[in-house]
Amino acid sequence: MAPAPAALSAANALSLLAPARVSSGRWNNLSVSVSARRVVSVAPPAAATAQRRLVAAAAATEMAPAASGEEGSKPFVEEMRAVAMKLHTKDQAREGEKEPQAPPVAKWEPSVEGYLRFLVDSKLVFQTLEAIVERAAVPWYAEFRNTGLERSEALKNDLEWFRQQGHTIPEPSAPGTTYASLLEELSEEDPQAFICHFYNVYFAHTAGGRMIGKKVSEKILNNKELEFYKWEGNLSQLLQNVRNKLNQVALSWSREEKDHCLEETEKSFSYSGGLLRHIFT
């Protein structure tokens, strides 16, 4: 696993939502037509320009190469990674194409209150992802149960620690509830788009997400390492296992379905960026 980028820019904090489109979903060789509903950004119009990019390194995928896919073709996870990397800035990744527009994470001034909002909303999102794969409305979602990357229990423990320190734990806010609702909707109606979000949420947290957690801990938590940033077992192997499953699932997709999944990347960055804004605003 390659190291996290040296500088994280709040510049890439949000992208515009991708337009809704129609795709065909393939469930265990059963082809059905599904359509993604158009989702409206929760950001006010005046903030749209400033919210065009996600904190790219935080929402980017983990850098190690993916497992092989179809013979003679690039593994699909490599395609997903390549699209995500283009949403970095040049100083974050060689493949980056975005221009930095704000200070790096090192210059953020987080507060405990803002960080708690981020943790609470993150817990809701991870709980939703875990519930979706457990329910497996699409049969191959079940492949992603118990991967070892699950985070909701760790976040529950971290929030209890904050409570014991005397902090009030807030209720989930609009960025978290809106993203959770989107994930539920996509999981039923647009499985390829859902998988894009699943991939980016989990893999981003293991890369830039960990770096952000470390920097925030240095500033406001006296270097305490939260459970959110700890995994049981070998993290590199856990990630590789999920890559293998993603590549296997994508073997049954048409090229159109794969492209639709890739096109959802900016939207996944946008919604994740809504959670990250809690930390630096």
Side-chain angles (χ1 to χ4, degrees), residues 98-267:
K98 300 299 184 181
E99 294 295 327
Q101 297 177 356
V105 166
K107 295 187 178 180
W108 291 1
E109 295 299 334
S111 66
V112 172
E113 291 75 16
Y115 194 46
L116 280 172
R117 290 194 295 271
F118 164 72
L119 295 176
V120 167
D121 279 5
S122 294
K123 178 173 178 285
L124 176 60
V125 168
F126 280 105
Q127 278 181 325
T128 301
L129 290 167
E130 291 166 24
I132 288 169
V133 299
E134 184 62 33
R135 187 166 64 246
V138 177
W140 42 258
Y141 288 171
E143 294 293 325
F144 303 102
R145 295 171 180 162
N146 303 316
T147 63
L149 299 183
E150 293 80 13
R151 296 288 85 199
S152 67
E153 188 65 25
L155 281 162
K156 176 183 176 181
N157 294 337
D158 287 332
L159 291 169
E160 175 60 21
W161 178 83
F162 277 100
R163 188 190 66 77
Q164 291 175 2
Q165 306 309 304
H167 296 287
T168 299
I169 308 303
E171 293 296 317
S173 61
T177 57
T178 301
Y179 197 12
S181 294
L182 173 72
L183 293 171
E184 289 282 6
E185 181 177 296
L186 292 179
S187 71
E188 297 282 346
E189 301 182 0
D190 196 343
Q192 282 74 33
F194 169 74
I195 286 296
C196 178
H197 289 266
F198 178 93
Y199 167 75
N200 280 294
V201 168
Y202 278 109
F203 279 65
H205 180 61
T206 69
R210 283 195 293 168
M211 180 179 174
I212 287 179
K214 184 175 186 297
K215 293 296 184 183
V216 172
S217 179
E218 290 172 357
K219 286 179 175 287
I220 63 174
L221 298 179
N222 196 28
N223 290 310
K224 175 179 172 58
E225 184 180 13
L226 299 182
E227 296 298 314
F228 191 27
Y229 305 100
K230 299 177 185 178
W231 289 262
E232 292 186 9
N234 184 298
L235 178 57
S236 294
Q237 187 59 55
L238 296 176
L239 292 167
Q240 188 59 51
N241 292 344
V242 175
R243 288 192 202 95
N244 293 343
K245 292 176 183 292
L246 288 165
N247 285 326
Q248 187 63 37
V249 164
L251 288 177
S252 66
W253 295 356
S254 68
R255 184 67 256 177
E256 180 186 16
E257 289 168 337
K258 291 177 179 178
D259 289 342
H260 179 48
C261 178
L262 298 176
E263 289 165 3
E264 191 77 7
T265 304
E266 277 202 271
K267 190 185 291 186

Side-chain angles (χ1 to χ4, degrees), residues 2-8 12 53-65 74 77-99 199-200 203-204 207-208 262 265-266 268-269:
L8 291 172
N12 306 342
R53 296 175 178 83
L54 174 68
V55 177
T61 56
E62 201 270 351
M63 303 299 180
K74 177 185 291 188
V77 170
E78 279 294 291
E79 295 188 48
M80 297 174 80
R81 173 189 174 276
V83 172
M85 293 303 294
K86 289 182 179 180
L87 298 178
H88 287 63
T89 59
K90 285 292 186 183
D91 63 327
Q92 294 167 341
R94 182 176 55 189
E95 304 99 316
E97 296 182 356
K98 300 299 184 181
E99 294 295 327
Y199 167 75
N200 280 294
F203 279 65
L262 298 176
T265 304
E266 277 202 271
S268 75
F269 274 32

